Amino acid sequence: MRTTLLTISILSFVISASSAIADPLPIEWSVTARANPIHYVGKCPAVITFDAHVSVVGAPAIEYRFIRSDGATGPMQSIESPPPGMPTSTTWTLGGSTLKHYEGWEQLVVKEIRQKVPHGKASRTISGNRAAFSIDCTG
């Protein structure tokens, strides 16, 4: 009987401690991106603009960057208390005499940063949609 009570007490303490330590995840995540233009036809180099919006409800801070289909990554940026629907954008200039046609994408990757957890930071990463585009260089 004593062993059972001790086991139940220890188990109860572990569950309570885990619940107190756990940091709740954001209520809502939304990361969307769009290429403009989606299909470019004309003189090159072409400039494609990528507009994105980020909504993370409940995150005290985020870090974010664009990644590209060719493997390049943009600089990591951060913001505390991001406003809902926060806009961000980047451009990609490409095409010319050696690259007449190209199909690719850019994607926004967002990492939630939570400072107030035992033993360092906790984070969660979400990737938005791939904003696809293509170019066809003429002349």
Side-chain angles (χ1 to χ4, degrees):
M1 177 76 172
R2 244 183 167 171
T3 305
T4 304
L5 285 175
L6 180 60
T7 303
I8 291 171
S9 296
I10 291 171
L11 183 58
S12 176
F13 174 76
V14 169
I15 290 171
S16 297
S18 297
S19 299
I21 292 170
D23 208 21
L25 295 175
I27 298 166
E28 173 191 338
W29 280 82
S30 175
V31 181
T32 58
R34 184 174 191 285
N36 185 21
I38 294 172
H39 183 70
Y40 175 86
V41 177
K43 294 187 124 206
C44 285
V47 177
I48 309 297
T49 300
F50 298 89
D51 296 310
H53 291 87
V54 179
S55 287
V56 184
V57 176
I62 60 170
E63 294 177 338
Y64 59 96
R65 74 168 51 175
F66 281 94
I67 61 172
R68 299 188 335 196
S69 54
D70 67 352
T73 59
M76 184 66 76
Q77 300 180 59
S78 62
I79 184 171
E80 293 198 20
S81 303
M86 180 190 80
T88 186
S89 65
T90 190
T91 60
W92 187 354
T93 303
L94 70 164
S97 61
T98 59
L99 185 63
K100 295 286 186 186
H101 176 81
Y102 189 81
E103 295 179 19
W105 51 264
E106 283 213 30
Q107 181 178 37
L108 190 65
V109 177
V110 179
K111 180 193 267 187
E112 165 205 28
I113 304 297
R114 291 192 177 267
Q115 304 286 346
K116 297 178 181 177
V117 294
H119 313 296
K121 295 180 181 179
S123 66
R124 186 170 75 148
T125 302
I126 186 170
S127 299
N129 63 299
R130 291 182 174 177
F133 72 97
S134 64
I135 65 163
D136 286 299
C137 299
T138 61

